[in-house]
Structure formats: structure tokens, C-alpha cells
């Protein structure tokens, strides 16, 4: 017997056919519909795959910081195909609405209120009347680990200027009003005025005008291997220069292992300095290094003046290292004695500035600085007078307290700290153009370029104390001065006669550290006369009493 009410045929021994039930017909229709629908399976798989991909992409963007709410969907496999199309279009529209935010800018930070650096004040200078010149003063650096952790991950804001490009001239147009060179170009006075009109996108003269890439056929040429290493510098660059064998090369000290591995140290020299350096035992000919310095020999120097050639890496370091973020420039006569991360944290990141330089310890006025340069024979007097008169006609005035919060118009330009953002790059480009057009004394042109840019933007230069600069770099004599000091005979010391030693004292002292040298204070006036009389009485022989 068969089971009734089941949509399957009953298996019996007889050959009689039974009529299919209603449930059996419904199952057969479902199977037929499924086989009919298989023809569309490729299209469904494509749609489902697309939905999954867009969903994953959408969630990934949401995890990246965007709070975009995903469209609510309750689509199942039993949902009609038209609803799937509708949901797909809805997701695609939501994906098109999403736009990634521009990179955030570094906004600075403040140290905790109880941090020791917030309570730090400069102590009064030591009362040493014999030493009246400049001297170092204490600086509150953060510990190295804290300084490294506070290095900004985003660039600082560049007011107005967002895109800066550089002019290449081929052939050169030398028929301009005055000034210029084959290396820096010959910008007209109209181009000079236009360069101070700050806009969102600008193109200015900035050295290397004869070639498309600095270091290749532009003057100040560098070999390909060194150029490749310079391109790889993407963080902090410490750069210096020695030309005409003017200084000796000494490696930075007190540098952490982390900075040794992450900071680029480049010393640019000419062929004359290379010949002198090869005789130095500290120079490694295999690695081309002196300590941490990677020594780069520059060929085809564009100027005959070594000081003017030194302005190229000093002011155009952002062009030589196009991928670097920060730079610390120092003259060849200086020795770096503090880790670069701590220096940049103190004078750039903590102050939330993109350009920092120390002010002159003694002079604050450009007119006074010009006279000092003339007196010291730093440059031709007529050229200095011409430059100062040019700036005076443009509105340069002597420095006074009316210019506050600007604290000085004269920098001590042997150290420059900067972030390579468009506005600071523009400043050094225009500053270099003044050095190329007028005298090489960059202290004279500094304030003119700074004030013209500040008049158009809210950007300005941070000028810290010169004694703070002397805290992290030690100044040495130039090489010629060192040779003079070596040849100068050492003055013979005039020693006092040995004092009488009592025989009761021991011949040797077990603890040498117990010996203390005490200098007697100088006596003056009547006290001095009394002291002399008492000494004479002490030296007179004593008489024995006469016999009675």
C-alpha cells in the first residue's frame, strides 16, 4: 500500500499508473522555475559581487575616519531582482557623494601646565667683566623620546601660497636693469615686484635657472650617486658647506642612534677643500664620510666668491632636497652638539612656526649692520651703500620699538631652522635673489624680504636669542686663524718662587683630590701697606736677649 497525501508516486507491485497529486505539481513548477532562472545566474553573481565590493570599500573608508552612514538594506536571496538594482544604485550614489578630506595641517601643541619647560626662565648672565662678548645660555629641551614623538605627521599651514614652481630660462636674458647671474637668472624689477605679490600659485626665480633639475648642468653640479641619496631624504636634513678650504670638517656630536639612522647629514665641499680633506685622517675615502657627514663634492661653482657659493645650499636647501620636510642649516665653522629632533622641537614645533633664525647678539638695525660690514671690509663699500639706498627708497627705516613684536631686523645667519612648506620656500628663494642681485651680505637683505612677505600674509619669521643658538652649536676658529694660533709662540709663564715647606709635612699625599688651590684676594690701599710691613717684620732676624 502507498502513503496517501504525499506528493510522490506510490511504489506497488502493480503496473497501474496513479494520478499525480497537487503537491507534486507545485514542486515540479519550482524546479522548472529554478532551471529557467539559471540562465540569469551570471548576471546575479555579477551584481552580488559588485554589492560586496562596494560594501567592503564603503566600510574601509568609514574606518579611515569618515562617519558616513551606510544605506540600510535588508536584501535577501528571495528579494526580486528589481529591488537589488535599486539598492545597488543607492549604494553607488552614496559612494559618489563621499569625498576624502584634504590632509590636516599641523596646528601646534602646548606642553602640560606642570611641565618644567613652562616654568623655565633664563638665569642672569654671569658677572664676568673680563668677558663682554656673546656666550651660550641654557635651553629647556625635551627628552629625546618626547621630541621624536612630537614630530608633526602633517605639514604646517602655508598662508595664501599653495603651489610654488621655479623659472627656467633657456636662453638667458641678460638685458635687464641691473644685477643677476647665469645661475640665478636676470629677473627684471617688474618680476621682482611681482614676486612679492603673494598668490595661491606662483612661479619665481630660485637659482638653477639653466637646467630642469638642480645639480645637473645648472652650475653647482653634483654627481648622480649623491643626487640619488639626496632625493631619498624624506625627513630631516642637516646641511653645511666648506668652500675654499676655509674651515675644517668636524662630525656632529651627542647625536642619538635614532637620528643617526633617520636624519640626513650632508656636507658640501669644493675640489680645493676635497684636496685638503684627503689629508685628514677622519675622512673615510670608501664611504666618503667624515663621521656622520656625507661629503658631497660640488663641481662648476657658479661664483668666484666662496661665500656667495655657500648661499646656495644655505638658502636653497629645499631645491637640493626636494623630498625633505625639515632642514637645519649651519655654517662650516660650527659644531653641532645637540640632537636635531630636540632642536627642531624647541624652536619650530613647540613655537608652531615654519622658519626660525637667531637674531644678532649686538646689532638690531640694518643701517648699523651695513656700517659694521663696511668697517670690517666684508664687501665693497660702494656696493653696500647702493643696496642700503635702494631699500631706503622702498621704505626701509631704522629699527625701533615701534616695530614690535618684531624684535630685530638683523639675524645671525649662521644657523637656519625651517620647514619646507611653500611660504618658507618662497621666502628663501626671494632672499637668495637679493643676495644674487646685490651684495652677498644676507643680513642686509633679510628684513626687506621678510617684511614684504609679512605685509601680504600673516606669516613671519621667528627670531630667538643668539645665546640659545650658541647652546646647540659651538663656534670654532676658521682654518686660517687656527694656523696662525699654532704658529704664535706660547707666552712663557712667570712662576713665583717655591714656598718653604715644613719638614713636618708628609712627603706624599695619599689622596690628591684633597689638595685645593686657594688664590688670595688682592689687597688695596692701606691694607696693602700694612701687609707689606708685617711681611718685613716677619723676615727680620730675632735678637737673642743680652746677658745681664
Amino acid at each position: 500500500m502507498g502513503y496517501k497525501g504525499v506528493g510522490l508516486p506510490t511504489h506497488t507491485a502493480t503496473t497501474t499508473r496513479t494520478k499525480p497529486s497537487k503537491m507534486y505539481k507545485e514542486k515540479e513548477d519550482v524546479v522548472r522555475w529554478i532551471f529557467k532562472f539559471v540562465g540569469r545566474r551570471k548576471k546575479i553573481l555579477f551584481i552580488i559581487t559588485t554589492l560586496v565590493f562596494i560594501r567592503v570599500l564603503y566600510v574601509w573608508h568609514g574606518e579611515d575616519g569618515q562617519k558616513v552612514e551606510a544605506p540600510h538594506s535588508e536584501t535577501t536571496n528571495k528579494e526580486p531582482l528589481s529591488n537589488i538594482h535599486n539598492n545597488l544604485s543607492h549604494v553607488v550614489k552614496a559612494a559618489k557623494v563621499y569625498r576624502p578630506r584634504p590632509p590636516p595641517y599641523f596646528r601646534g601643541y602646548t606642553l602640560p601646565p606642570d611641565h618644567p619647560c613652562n616654568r623655565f626662565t633664563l638665569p642672569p648672565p654671569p658677572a664676568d667683566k673680563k668677558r663682554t662678548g656673546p656666550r651660550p645660555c641654557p635651553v629647556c629641551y625635551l627628552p629625546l623620546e618626547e621630541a621624536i614623538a612630537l614630530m608633526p605627521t602633517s605639514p604646517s599651514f602655508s598662508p595664501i601660497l599653495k603651489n610654488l614652481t621655479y623659472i627656467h630660462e633657456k636662453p638667458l636674458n641678460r638685458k635687464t636693469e641691473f644685477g643677476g647671474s647665469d645661475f640665478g637668472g636676470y629677473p627684471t624689477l617688474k618680476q621682482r615686484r611681482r614676486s612679492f605679490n603673494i598668490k595661491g600659485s606662483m612661479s619665481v626665480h630660485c637659482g638653477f635657472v639653466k637646467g630642469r633639475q638642480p645639480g645637473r648642468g645648472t652650475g653647482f653640479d653634483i654627481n648622480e650617486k649623491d643626487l640619488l641619496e639626496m632625493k631619498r631624504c624624506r625627513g630631516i636634513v642637516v646641511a653645511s658647506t666648506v668652500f675654499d678650504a676655509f674651515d675644517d670638517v668636524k662630525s656632529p656630536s651627542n647625536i642619538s642612534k635614532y637620528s643617526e639612522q633617520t636624519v640626513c647629514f650632508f656636507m658640501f665641499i669644493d675640489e680645493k677643500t676635497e684636496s685638503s680633506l684627503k689629508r685628514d685622517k677622519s675622512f673615510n675615502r670608501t664611504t666618503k664620510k667624515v663621521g656622520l657627514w656625507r661629503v658631497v663634492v660640488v663641481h662648476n661653482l657658479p661664483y668666484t666668491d666662496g661665500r656667495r657659493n655657500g648661499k646656495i645650499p644655505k638658502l636653497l636647501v629645499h631645491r637640493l632636497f626636494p623630498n625633505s620636510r625639515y632642514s637645519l642649516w649651519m655654517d662650516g665653522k660650527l659644531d653641532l652638539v645637540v640632537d636635531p629632533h630636540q632642536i627642531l622641537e624647541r624652536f619650530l614645533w613647540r613655537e608652531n612656526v615654519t622658519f626660525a633664525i637667531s637674531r644678532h647678539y649686538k646689532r638690531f638695525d640694518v643701517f648699523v649692520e651695513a656700517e659694521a660690514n663696511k668697517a670690517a671690509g666684508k664687501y665693497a663699500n660702494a656696493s653696500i651703500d647702493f643696496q642700503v639706498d635702494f631699500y631706503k627708497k622702498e621704505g626701509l627705516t631704522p629699527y625701533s620699538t615701534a616695530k614690535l613684536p618684531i624684535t630685530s631686523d638683523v639675524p645671525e645667519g649662521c644657523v637656519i631652522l625651517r620647514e619646507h612648506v611653500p611660504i618658507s620656500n618662497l621666502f628663501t628663494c626671494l632672499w637668495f635673489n637679493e643676495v644674487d642681485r646685490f651684495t652677498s651680505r644676507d643680513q642686509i637683505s633679510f628684513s626687506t624680504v621678510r617684511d614684504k612677505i609679512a605685509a601680504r600674509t600673516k606669516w613671519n619669521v621667528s627670531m630667538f636669542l643668539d645665546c640659545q643658538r650658541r647652546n646647540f652649536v659651538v663656534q670654532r676658529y676658521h682654518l686660517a686663524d687656527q694656523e696662525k694660533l699654532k704658529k704664535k709662540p706660547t707666552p712663557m709663564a712667570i712662576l713665583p718662587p717655591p714656598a718653604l715647606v715644613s719638614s713636618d709635612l708628609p712627603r706624599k699625599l695619599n689622596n690628591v683630590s684633597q689638595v685645593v688651590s686657594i688664590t688670595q684676594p688682592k689687597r688695596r690701599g692701606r691694607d696693602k701697606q700694612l701687609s707689606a710691613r708685617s711681611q718685613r717684620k716677619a723676615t727680620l732676624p730675632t735678637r737673642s736677649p743680652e746677658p745681664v
Side-chain angles (χ1 to χ4, degrees):
M1 295 181 61
Y3 295 95
K4 296 182 180 180
V6 180
L8 289 176
T10 304
H11 297 279
T12 61
T14 61
T15 58
T16 307
R17 292 186 179 181
T18 59
K19 187 177 181 179
S21 65
K22 185 177 181 181
M23 289 292 295
Y24 176 79
K25 287 184 177 182
E26 290 178 357
K27 280 290 185 179
E28 190 177 23
D29 292 338
V30 170
V31 173
R32 191 180 298 110
W33 181 85
I34 290 174
F35 280 97
K36 184 179 179 181
F37 199 73
V38 167
R40 302 181 181 178
R41 66 182 183 278
K42 293 183 180 180
K43 188 174 182 180
I44 293 177
L45 289 175
F46 172 77
I47 294 172
I48 293 175
T49 304
T50 306
L51 280 172
V52 172
F53 174 78
I54 294 177
R55 179 64 178 174
V56 171
L57 182 64
Y58 189 78
V59 172
W60 179 74
H61 279 301
E63 290 177 351
D64 210 26
Q66 300 296 327
K67 297 182 179 180
V68 180
E69 186 177 357
H72 183 68
S73 176
E74 297 180 352
T75 305
T76 63
N77 293 334
K78 296 181 180 180
E79 190 171 4
L81 190 60
S82 59
N83 290 343
I84 296 177
H85 280 291
N86 293 334
N87 289 329
L88 177 61
S89 61
H90 182 66
V91 173
V92 171
K93 289 181 180 178
K96 290 182 178 180
V97 170
Y98 168 78
R99 293 288 184 273
R101 292 181 180 177
Y105 293 107
F106 174 64
R107 300 295 184 181
Y109 54 81
T110 55
L111 299 177
D114 57 344
H115 198 280
C117 287
N118 288 333
R119 301 188 301 270
F120 179 80
T121 56
L122 286 176
D128 186 0
K129 296 182 179 179
K130 293 183 179 180
R131 184 179 177 185
T132 59
R135 66 186 75 196
C137 59
V139 175
C140 190
Y141 300 108
L142 293 187
L144 180 64
E145 294 77 8
E146 295 182 22
I148 293 173
L150 289 172
M151 182 175 179
T153 58
S154 303
S156 297
F157 180 73
S158 177
I160 301 179
L161 180 62
K162 307 303 178 186
N163 182 33
L164 181 64
T165 56
Y166 310 109
I167 293 175
H168 305 276
E169 294 182 353
K170 193 175 181 179
L172 292 173
N173 178 22
R174 298 182 177 90
K175 297 180 180 180
T176 57
E177 293 88 345
F178 65 92
S181 67
D182 288 355
F183 178 79
Y186 298 87
T188 64
L189 290 177
K190 182 179 180 180
Q191 288 175 315
R192 179 181 179 271
R193 287 191 298 268
R194 193 185 305 159
S195 65
F196 290 109
N197 185 19
I198 314 300
K199 298 180 180 179
S201 182
M202 298 179 63
S203 183
V204 297
H205 286 80
C206 195
F208 305 101
V209 297
K210 293 190 297 182
R212 287 290 173 182
Q213 183 176 354
R216 288 192 176 100
T218 58
F220 205 86
D221 295 332
I222 301 170
N223 66 51
E224 295 296 328
K225 188 175 181 180
D226 289 327
L227 285 174
L228 180 61
E229 288 297 322
M230 291 161 64
K231 283 184 179 180
R232 291 175 179 172
C233 294
R234 298 185 177 277
I236 300 173
V237 174
V238 179
S240 187
T241 294
V242 175
F243 289 143
D244 295 332
F246 205 59
D247 298 289
D248 54 354
V249 180
K250 188 175 180 181
S251 178
S253 57
N254 303 324
I255 308 301
S256 65
K257 292 295 182 182
Y258 179 81
S259 293
E260 289 181 7
Q261 298 173 359
T262 59
V263 177
C264 302
F265 294 87
F266 275 80
M267 171 67 70
F268 296 94
I269 65 173
D270 59 355
E271 296 170 359
K272 181 178 179 181
T273 307
E274 182 188 21
S275 301
S276 176
L277 190 61
K278 286 181 178 179
R279 298 191 294 268
D280 194 338
K281 295 181 180 179
S282 62
F283 178 60
N284 190 324
R285 298 195 178 192
T286 304
T287 61
K288 304 295 182 182
K289 280 192 172 185
V290 176
L292 296 178
W293 290 121
R294 180 186 177 94
V295 179
V296 177
V297 182
V298 183
H299 305 280
N300 301 325
L301 292 174
Y303 306 108
T304 57
D305 181 8
R307 286 189 176 93
R308 198 184 291 270
N309 286 321
K311 307 302 179 188
I312 297 173
K314 176 179 180 178
L315 301 179
L316 306 183
V317 63
H318 65 283
R319 299 216 62 192
L320 293 170
F321 299 88
N323 299 318
S324 61
R325 294 185 59 200
Y326 300 95
S327 64
L328 189 160
W329 158 264
M330 49 184 285
D331 278 357
K333 64 183 178 182
L334 302 178
D335 295 336
L336 185 65
V337 294
V338 177
D339 193 273
H341 285 91
Q342 294 175 295
I343 299 172
L344 293 174
E345 188 283 325
R346 171 60 187 87
F347 297 103
L348 281 189
W349 308 335
R350 197 187 307 177
E351 303 295 330
N352 194 17
V353 295
T354 59
F355 197 101
I357 191 171
S358 65
R359 59 177 182 252
H360 199 279
Y361 74 97
K362 187 177 181 180
R363 295 187 288 273
F364 308 96
D365 185 85
V366 175
F367 296 94
V368 177
E369 174 68 18
E371 293 301 320
N373 276 262
K374 289 162 59 178
K378 298 290 186 180
Y379 212 86
N381 291 1
S383 299
I384 294 177
D385 289 336
F386 177 80
Q387 183 176 7
V388 173
D389 290 340
F390 186 90
Y391 292 156
K392 189 175 180 179
K393 293 176 181 177
E394 286 191 328
L396 178 65
T397 58
Y399 179 80
S400 65
T401 55
K403 293 188 176 183
L404 291 174
I406 295 175
T407 55
S408 176
D409 283 345
V410 180
E412 179 57 68
C414 57
V415 170
I416 294 178
L417 310 172
R418 54 180 293 207
E419 181 181 359
H420 297 177
V421 293
I423 193 67
S424 67
N425 294 342
L426 175 68
F427 171 70
T428 53
C429 285
L430 301 186
W431 190 8
F432 176 82
N433 291 344
E434 298 298 295
V435 171
D436 186 55
R437 181 188 293 272
F438 296 105
T439 69
S440 62
R441 308 307 299 171
D442 52 27
Q443 296 94 333
I444 298 176
S445 54
F446 167 80
S447 63
T448 294
V449 180
R450 176 200 63 187
D451 295 345
K452 285 180 177 293
I453 294 180
R456 296 277 184 173
T457 66
K458 295 182 179 180
W459 181 86
N460 215 321
V461 174
S462 174
M463 301 187 73
F464 53 91
L465 297 175
D466 184 65
C467 68
Q468 294 175 315
R469 188 265 307 174
R470 293 175 182 270
N471 178 280
F472 60 84
V473 289
V474 177
Q475 187 164 323
R476 293 178 285 110
Y477 287 104
H478 293 298
L479 201 58
D481 297 331
Q482 294 181 28
E483 296 296 329
K484 290 179 182 178
L485 291 175
K486 289 180 181 179
K487 295 179 181 179
K488 189 176 181 180
T490 305
M492 184 178 296
I494 302 176
L495 301 176
L500 296 177
V501 180
S502 174
S503 60
D504 297 334
L505 294 176
R507 296 291 181 181
K508 294 183 180 181
L509 294 176
N510 296 328
N511 191 356
V512 181
S513 63
Q514 294 177 358
V515 180
V516 181
S517 175
I518 301 176
T519 304
Q520 296 292 338
K522 295 182 179 180
R523 299 180 180 271
R524 298 180 180 179
R526 186 176 179 182
D527 293 337
K528 188 175 181 180
Q529 295 176 0
L530 292 175
S531 177
R533 290 177 186 173
S534 61
Q535 288 180 6
R536 285 198 300 270
K537 289 181 180 180
T539 56
L540 290 176
T542 58
R543 290 185 179 182
S544 59
E546 295 181 357
V548 178

